[in-house]
mmCIF file of all heavy atoms in Angstrom:
data_model
loop_
_atom_site.group_PDB
_atom_site.id
_atom_site.type_symbol
_atom_site.label_atom_id
_atom_site.label_comp_id
_atom_site.label_asym_id
_atom_site.label_seq_id
_atom_site.Cartn_x
_atom_site.Cartn_y
_atom_site.Cartn_z
ATOM 1 N N VAL A 6 -58.975 -9.356 -7.884
ATOM 2 C CA VAL A 6 -58.026 -10.574 -7.827
ATOM 3 C C VAL A 6 -56.666 -10.209 -8.134
ATOM 4 O O VAL A 6 -56.426 -9.389 -8.948
ATOM 5 C CB VAL A 6 -58.432 -11.741 -8.803
ATOM 6 C CG1 VAL A 6 -57.552 -12.820 -8.755
ATOM 7 C CG2 VAL A 6 -59.963 -12.127 -8.490
ATOM 8 N N SER A 74 -41.873 -12.532 8.507
ATOM 9 C CA SER A 74 -40.509 -12.476 7.990
ATOM 10 C C SER A 74 -39.573 -12.107 9.072
ATOM 11 O O SER A 74 -38.296 -12.544 8.991
ATOM 12 C CB SER A 74 -40.404 -11.492 6.830
ATOM 13 O OG SER A 74 -40.740 -10.204 7.263
ATOM 14 N N LEU A 123 -59.456 9.590 5.317
ATOM 15 C CA LEU A 123 -58.186 8.857 5.015
ATOM 16 C C LEU A 123 -57.842 8.067 6.253
ATOM 17 O O LEU A 123 -57.283 6.855 6.143
ATOM 18 C CB LEU A 123 -57.101 9.724 4.683
ATOM 19 C CG LEU A 123 -57.212 10.372 3.151
ATOM 20 C CD1 LEU A 123 -56.000 11.314 2.980
ATOM 21 C CD2 LEU A 123 -57.300 9.265 2.183
ATOM 22 N N HIS A 156 -68.589 3.819 8.196
ATOM 23 C CA HIS A 156 -69.750 4.836 8.281
ATOM 24 C C HIS A 156 -69.087 6.157 8.509
ATOM 25 O O HIS A 156 -69.577 7.187 7.821
ATOM 26 C CB HIS A 156 -70.649 4.485 9.485
ATOM 27 C CG HIS A 156 -71.704 5.389 9.642
ATOM 28 N ND1 HIS A 156 -72.780 5.731 8.740
ATOM 29 C CD2 HIS A 156 -71.963 6.329 10.853
ATOM 30 C CE1 HIS A 156 -73.532 6.660 9.215
ATOM 31 N NE2 HIS A 156 -73.160 7.060 10.443
ATOM 32 N N TRP A 216 -79.402 11.370 10.044
ATOM 33 C CA TRP A 216 -80.659 11.595 9.103
ATOM 34 C C TRP A 216 -80.479 12.786 8.336
ATOM 35 O O TRP A 216 -80.146 13.856 8.743
ATOM 36 C CB TRP A 216 -81.925 11.565 9.830
ATOM 37 C CG TRP A 216 -82.317 10.219 10.361
ATOM 38 C CD1 TRP A 216 -82.163 9.827 11.686
ATOM 39 C CD2 TRP A 216 -82.802 9.108 9.740
ATOM 40 N NE1 TRP A 216 -82.574 8.481 11.807
ATOM 41 C CE2 TRP A 216 -83.066 8.045 10.672
ATOM 42 C CE3 TRP A 216 -83.247 8.887 8.289
ATOM 43 C CZ2 TRP A 216 -83.612 6.821 10.174
ATOM 44 C CZ3 TRP A 216 -83.734 7.645 7.940
ATOM 45 C CH2 TRP A 216 -83.925 6.667 9.043
ATOM 46 N N LYS A 236 -69.091 6.933 -8.322
ATOM 47 C CA LYS A 236 -69.104 8.308 -8.019
ATOM 48 C C LYS A 236 -67.727 8.767 -7.474
ATOM 49 O O LYS A 236 -67.218 9.876 -7.533
ATOM 50 C CB LYS A 236 -70.282 8.806 -7.081
ATOM 51 C CG LYS A 236 -70.148 8.359 -5.711
ATOM 52 C CD LYS A 236 -71.314 8.830 -4.800
ATOM 53 C CE LYS A 236 -71.236 8.362 -3.351
ATOM 54 N NZ LYS A 236 -72.446 8.803 -2.795
ATOM 55 N N LYS A 302 -54.244 2.297 -10.693
ATOM 56 C CA LYS A 302 -54.732 1.061 -10.446
ATOM 57 C C LYS A 302 -56.140 0.868 -10.907
ATOM 58 O O LYS A 302 -56.604 -0.336 -11.266
ATOM 59 C CB LYS A 302 -54.622 0.739 -8.940
ATOM 60 C CG LYS A 302 -53.361 0.525 -8.393
ATOM 61 C CD LYS A 302 -53.237 0.366 -6.826
ATOM 62 C CE LYS A 302 -53.905 -0.744 -6.313
ATOM 63 N NZ LYS A 302 -53.838 -0.826 -4.843
ATOM 64 N N SER A 364 -35.882 28.138 11.897
ATOM 65 C CA SER A 364 -36.349 29.054 13.046
ATOM 66 C C SER A 364 -36.739 28.471 14.243
ATOM 67 O O SER A 364 -36.758 29.045 15.398
ATOM 68 C CB SER A 364 -37.368 29.961 12.531
ATOM 69 O OG SER A 364 -38.675 29.228 12.467
ATOM 70 N N CYS A 386 -45.170 3.808 -3.113
ATOM 71 C CA CYS A 386 -44.080 3.101 -3.555
ATOM 72 C C CYS A 386 -43.856 1.715 -2.697
ATOM 73 O O CYS A 386 -42.865 0.961 -3.002
ATOM 74 C CB CYS A 386 -42.737 3.847 -3.186
ATOM 75 S SG CYS A 386 -42.078 4.679 -4.822
ATOM 76 N N ARG A 397 -60.274 -3.440 -15.321
ATOM 77 C CA ARG A 397 -60.275 -2.399 -16.298
ATOM 78 C C ARG A 397 -58.935 -2.003 -16.634
ATOM 79 O O ARG A 397 -58.639 -1.817 -17.796
ATOM 80 C CB ARG A 397 -60.970 -1.178 -15.725
ATOM 81 C CG ARG A 397 -61.185 0.033 -16.746
ATOM 82 C CD ARG A 397 -61.648 1.322 -16.215
ATOM 83 N NE ARG A 397 -63.140 0.980 -15.640
ATOM 84 C CZ ARG A 397 -63.342 0.788 -14.403
ATOM 85 N NH1 ARG A 397 -62.423 0.953 -13.373
ATOM 86 N NH2 ARG A 397 -64.603 0.635 -13.991
ATOM 87 N N GLU A 538 -29.630 24.977 29.752
ATOM 88 C CA GLU A 538 -28.490 24.919 29.037
ATOM 89 C C GLU A 538 -28.809 23.886 27.761
ATOM 90 O O GLU A 538 -28.441 24.257 26.646
ATOM 91 C CB GLU A 538 -27.352 24.169 29.828
ATOM 92 C CG GLU A 538 -25.990 24.042 29.083
ATOM 93 C CD GLU A 538 -24.894 23.434 29.883
ATOM 94 O OE1 GLU A 538 -25.191 23.322 31.036
ATOM 95 O OE2 GLU A 538 -23.931 23.172 29.225
ATOM 96 N N TRP A 567 -38.276 1.184 6.328
ATOM 97 C CA TRP A 567 -38.390 -0.265 6.401
ATOM 98 C C TRP A 567 -39.185 -0.963 5.143
ATOM 99 O O TRP A 567 -38.714 -1.897 4.715
ATOM 100 C CB TRP A 567 -39.202 -0.459 7.666
ATOM 101 C CG TRP A 567 -39.658 -2.061 7.872
ATOM 102 C CD1 TRP A 567 -40.837 -2.457 7.646
ATOM 103 C CD2 TRP A 567 -38.890 -3.146 8.145
ATOM 104 N NE1 TRP A 567 -40.939 -3.813 7.741
ATOM 105 C CE2 TRP A 567 -39.680 -4.291 8.072
ATOM 106 C CE3 TRP A 567 -37.452 -3.309 8.530
ATOM 107 C CZ2 TRP A 567 -39.267 -5.509 8.265
ATOM 108 C CZ3 TRP A 567 -37.065 -4.461 8.740
ATOM 109 C CH2 TRP A 567 -37.942 -5.683 8.629
#
Side-chain angles (χ1 to χ4, degrees):
V6 177
S74 64
L123 287 177
H156 176 66
W216 289 102
K236 73 179 180 184
K302 290 170 65 175
S364 73
C386 263
R397 185 183 299 105
E538 181 179 355
W567 167 261

